[in-house]
Amino acid sequence: MQANILTTLAGNRIESEAKAREALAGEAADMAQALTPYAIRKAMQAAADAMPWRMLMEDQESESEEQAFLQLRERLTGQLVNAISSSSSCTITNEEDRLKWDGVRRFLRDTEYLVEALNAPQEPATAPEPPKPPTPARRATPTPAQRKAMELIAKGGMRRTQFGMKDPIRISSEHGRIYADTLDVLEREGWAKVDHSTSLFHGQTVNLTDLGASHLPA
């Protein structure tokens, strides 16, 4: 699984919980206004949504990222199937229980595409092609957009990824993003090379060739 995907998703949920808690604390501290059920429920829902992601982060301390993720989904699915709705005389307790299992359902639903990607057959590794001698004389001259793309690749970290069958292929790094048709031209002209030995889900490294680097300023 590509590094930081689950960590990023978990961070977003936990950050949302923190903001909801801060909003509730701010409302509770204001003695001039009533404490509304809306703020309380919003904080409870944010906490319920963040709970499975907190569990995942804890499990990752002792298990690999993929193993912890799959095991947690299996464990939560079993708990959800056997769960019995709370019948407490306290309405807030019943609402907390309902929100908890709603949070589990959303976690399982929102991460289903990652399970499909993990179970998808891996692309077979292809034997590397023998190196071809550079022939700049018969190569096209890169356009400004293609040269800009090569500059982004030269900075490093460029990867070609796709997290689900329905998701578009992304070619990006922390420095920027490249359009797929632009990368196709760079590959065809021998200016860039994609490592097709790994799957799109795990990410395929994009590197600049010596020929591509010859088109950039020294």
Side-chain angles (χ1 to χ4, degrees):
M1 182 174 296
Q2 184 160 335
N4 298 328
I5 294 177
L6 293 173
T7 302
T8 299
L9 292 174
N12 291 338
R13 298 303 190 282
I14 295 172
E15 182 180 0
S16 295
E17 178 191 5
K19 290 179 178 178
R21 287 178 178 269
E22 289 173 1
L24 176 60
E27 183 173 306
D30 187 353
M31 302 296 291
Q33 66 177 14
L35 188 60
T36 64
Y38 172 77
I40 298 175
R41 188 182 185 282
K42 188 173 182 180
M44 291 172 63
Q45 180 174 331
D49 285 343
M51 180 195 67
W53 297 97
R54 289 184 181 279
M55 295 171 63
L56 178 59
M57 293 299 99
E58 293 174 359
D59 291 347
Q60 283 184 203
E61 295 179 0
S62 57
E63 304 285 352
S64 69
E65 185 179 55
E66 294 180 10
Q67 185 177 5
F69 168 66
L70 294 175
Q71 288 180 348
L72 178 61
R73 277 185 56 91
E74 182 178 355
R75 187 165 77 249
L76 290 178
T77 299
Q79 292 177 0
L80 184 60
V81 170
N82 297 314
I84 300 176
S85 299
S86 174
S87 57
S88 172
S89 58
C90 177
T91 304
I92 296 178
T93 299
N94 293 335
E95 180 67 1
E96 180 186 20
D97 183 73
R98 187 186 69 80
L99 291 173
K100 168 188 172 182
W101 294 116
D102 281 350
V104 170
R105 291 187 186 91
R106 276 189 289 272
F107 172 80
L108 295 175
R109 180 196 63 201
D110 294 345
T111 58
E112 183 64 31
Y113 77 99
L114 291 174
V115 178
E116 294 176 358
L118 283 172
N119 293 330
Q122 300 294 309
E123 296 182 1
T126 56
E129 298 181 359
K132 298 179 181 179
T135 54
R138 64 184 182 86
R139 296 289 185 182
T141 301
T143 65
Q146 293 164 357
R147 186 175 286 108
K148 178 63 176 178
M150 288 193 288
E151 290 175 353
L152 291 176
I153 295 173
K155 292 180 179 179
M158 190 66 65
R159 297 175 71 83
R160 184 170 177 263
T161 55
Q162 184 180 32
F163 300 141
M165 297 298 293
K166 298 180 181 179
D167 296 325
I169 293 177
R170 294 176 59 91
I171 306 103
S172 61
S173 72
E174 63 179 2
H175 306 292
R177 183 177 178 182
I178 297 176
Y179 291 108
D181 55 352
T182 300
L183 180 59
D184 290 342
V185 174
L186 299 185
E187 271 200 288
R188 185 171 66 249
E189 294 297 333
W191 297 332
K193 188 172 183 179
V194 179
D195 182 7
H196 294 282
S197 65
T198 59
S199 70
L200 283 169
F201 179 71
H202 286 81
Q204 299 174 341
T205 303
V206 181
N207 290 310
L208 204 62
T209 64
D210 292 339
L211 182 59
S214 69
H215 290 284
L216 300 181

